[in-house]
């Protein structure tokens, strides 16, 4: 092939320079480049200025965005001053070393309207174990008349309690505040006037003192008795994904008791926005405050079930109550043998969740106490106590 030549004049000389033939440039796929650029720019923009609760991949197909999504770290919300201070305080409490004293005690805290109908049964439970327990009684309506000397002088300064309102949580905090003043109290159990023990004292003591978790019931319920009670007034500190439901009856470690007493931020949210009739919802703080609080600040530090058995199988507003004729050896042994905790959502799907009760990784019976018993059952309970509590 003949190579074309070009003439170039310089310094009076004539040079012949060969000129290379160039192939015509192929057209690049400009639309692909433009699309990739748009995806990148939009992804970066959505990452820097994220819309509430959505990622950049909201705008594109998951096949395009999933690699980008995996590479992008979650954006951290800027905390309010109160929230930051609260988080620092809670982290410091959780970082405190757990010091179990030689004479560590369990604080048994009774939340009752007046007299305790099962004092004689509890006396049988406590006798012989002095120095390993403390008793505190919050009587909200009338001064109790005691049937056992163990309960004499154990009342604390109490205030009126209204079911479903924040006063119930206030009473719980009042009990904790009194009990925590004793440095030997290592575990704190909330009980009602209708609660009875299911095991002997040694079993209960070893069960609670032998683990470092709190037995606080906490589960996700998307139904009308669960997250339908949430309101956006709790934002930004409490998001709906954080909202939980659970039993009021807890048993908690000293560190968790300190957190409950120190918390004002999350407590205030529930005091203002979780109450019957607010924002068209019937929210009950005693069913949501502690489950939500510890789901947020220390989810691995709680067992997610209560050690107090309550039977809600009748589907009513109140749990099943046991009369004298109901209290048999078989009933009590059946309750003490339950080793799986059960939750069911309140929506139309009625999703049931059943999980084993794991104590230090081992499957154990779930319940140490039970309610709700009528006072007339006292005789049968005392008669059967030594039989059904023997392990």
């Amino acid at each position: 092939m003949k190579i074309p030549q070009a003439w170039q004049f310089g310094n009076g000389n004539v040079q012949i320079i060969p000129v290379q033939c160039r192939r015509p440039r192929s057209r690049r796929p400009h639309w692909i480049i433009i699309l990739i650029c748009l995806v990148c720019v939009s992804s970066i923009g959505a990452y820097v200025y994220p819309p509430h609760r959505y990622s950049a991949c909201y705008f594109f197909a998951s096949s395009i965005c999933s690699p980008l999504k995996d590479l992008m770290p979650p954006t951290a919300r800027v905390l309010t001053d109160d929230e930051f201070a609260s988080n620092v305080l809670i982290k410091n409490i959780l970082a405190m070393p757990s010091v179990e004293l030689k004479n560590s005690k369990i604080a048994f805290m009774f939340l009752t309207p007046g007299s305790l109908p099962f004092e004689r049964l509890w006396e049988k439970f406590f006798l012989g174990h002095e120095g390993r327990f403390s008793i505190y009684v919050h009587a909200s309506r009338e001064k109790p008349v005691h049937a056992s000397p163990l309960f004499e002088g154990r009342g604390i300064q109490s205030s009126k309690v209204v079911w479903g309102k924040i006063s119930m949580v206030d009473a719980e905090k009042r009990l904790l505040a009194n009990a925590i003043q004793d440095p030997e109290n290592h575990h704190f159990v909330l009980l009602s006037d209708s609660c009875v023990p299911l095991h002997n004292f040694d079993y209960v003591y070893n069960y609670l003192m032998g683990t470092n978790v709190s037995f606080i019931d906490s589960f996700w319920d998307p139904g009308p008795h669960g997250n339908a009670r949430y309101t956006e007034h709790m934002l930004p500190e409490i998001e709906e994904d954080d909202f939980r439901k659970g039993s009021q009856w807890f048993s908690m470690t000293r560190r968790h008791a300190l957190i409950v007493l120190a918390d004002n931020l999350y407590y205030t949210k529930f005091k203002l926005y979780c109450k019957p009739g607010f924002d068209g919802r019937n929210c009950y703080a005693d069913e949501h405050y502690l489950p939500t609080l510890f789901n947020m600040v220390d989810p691995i530090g709680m067992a997610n079930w209560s050690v107090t058995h309550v039977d809600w199988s009748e589907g009513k507003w109140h749990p099943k109550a046991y009369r004298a004729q109901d209290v048999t050896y078989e009933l009590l042994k059946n309750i003490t043998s339950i080793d799986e905790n059960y939750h069911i959502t309140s929506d139309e799907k009625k999703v049931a969740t059943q999980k084993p009760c794991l104590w230090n990784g081992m499957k154990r019976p779930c319940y140490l106490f039970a309610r709700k018993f009528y006072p007339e059952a006292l005789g049968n309970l005392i008669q059967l106590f030594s039989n059904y509590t023997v392990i």
Side-chain angles (χ1 to χ4, degrees), residues 65-335:
C65 287
S66 55
L68 296 174
K69 184 179 180 182
D70 293 338
L71 295 174
M72 291 173 7
T75 56
R77 175 176 59 81
V78 177
L79 305 181
T80 64
D81 289 342
D82 290 341
E83 194 174 6
F84 178 76
S86 178
N87 286 2
V88 170
L89 178 60
I90 289 173
K91 287 180 180 178
N92 275 272
I93 293 175
L94 291 175
M96 293 170 55
S98 181
V99 180
E100 186 172 341
L101 303 175
K102 186 177 181 179
N103 299 320
S104 294
K105 297 185 293 186
I106 297 176
F108 291 84
M109 307 179 303
F110 292 87
L111 182 58
T112 175
S115 297
L116 293 167
F118 298 111
E119 279 190 8
R120 286 174 53 208
L121 177 65
W122 285 104
E123 181 182 60
K124 196 168 184 178
F125 172 80
F126 287 127
L127 282 178
H129 303 284
E130 291 76 9
R132 295 202 290 169
F133 67 88
S134 303
I135 298 174
Y136 302 87
V137 179
H138 184 291
S140 61
R141 295 181 187 172
E142 56 189 28
K143 187 177 180 180
V145 176
H146 298 293
S148 167
L150 290 178
F151 288 81
E152 292 284 354
R154 304 314 305 163
I156 68 169
Q157 184 176 354
S158 306
S159 295
K160 184 178 179 181
V161 173
V162 179
W163 178 82
K165 294 192 176 181
I166 196 67
S167 58
M168 188 76 76
V169 176
D170 293 337
E172 295 172 6
K173 297 182 75 169
R174 200 173 292 117
L175 280 163
L176 285 171
N178 280 269
I180 211 162
Q181 292 183 75
D182 186 343
E184 294 182 347
N185 285 337
H186 187 77
H187 217 96
F188 304 79
V189 182
L190 181 69
L191 301 161
S192 77
D193 56 310
S194 66
C195 281
V196 301
L198 292 175
H199 299 271
N200 61 43
F201 184 89
D202 283 330
Y203 183 93
V204 172
Y205 186 89
N206 293 331
Y207 195 107
L208 296 179
M209 304 297 268
T211 185
N212 60 355
V213 301
S214 293
F215 294 93
I216 299 172
D217 191 28
S218 178
F219 69 100
W220 169 265
D221 180 5
H225 298 162
N227 276 55
R229 297 172 175 175
Y230 172 82
T231 173
E232 291 187 351
H233 287 86
M234 292 186 172
L235 291 171
E237 292 86 358
I238 303 173
E239 299 186 7
E240 186 176 356
D241 288 343
D242 301 319
F243 198 71
R244 292 293 185 274
K245 182 183 178 180
S247 171
Q248 171 188 4
W249 311 105
F250 62 77
S251 172
M252 66 175 60
T253 63
R254 188 174 182 88
R255 281 184 295 187
H256 282 169
L258 286 169
I259 289 175
V260 174
L261 293 175
D263 172 53
N264 186 59
L265 176 68
Y266 303 108
Y267 164 80
T268 301
K269 290 287 185 175
F270 280 88
K271 181 178 181 179
L272 294 176
Y273 308 122
C274 182
K275 50 189 175 182
F278 178 81
D279 203 18
R281 298 170 171 86
N282 287 322
C283 186
Y284 306 106
D286 57 286
E287 295 183 6
H288 298 284
Y289 169 59
L290 291 181
T292 301
L293 173 66
F294 286 103
N295 173 63
M296 296 179 66
V297 304
D298 192 20
I300 64 174
M302 61 177 175
N304 288 318
W305 86 83
S306 169
V307 288
T308 298
H309 175 266
V310 185
D311 185 354
W312 289 96
S313 61
E314 295 180 340
K316 299 178 181 178
W317 278 101
H318 296 285
K320 179 179 175 60
Y322 302 100
R323 294 196 173 275
Q325 64 268 23
D326 300 321
V327 178
T328 63
Y329 174 82
E330 289 72 21
L331 169 71
L332 298 169
K333 289 304 294 183
N334 286 340
I335 297 176

Side-chain angles (χ1 to χ4, degrees), residues 27-38:
R27 293 184 178 181
R28 295 180 181 178
H30 297 292
W31 67 272
I32 296 178
I33 298 174
I34 294 172
L35 177 61
I36 293 174
C37 290
L38 286 173

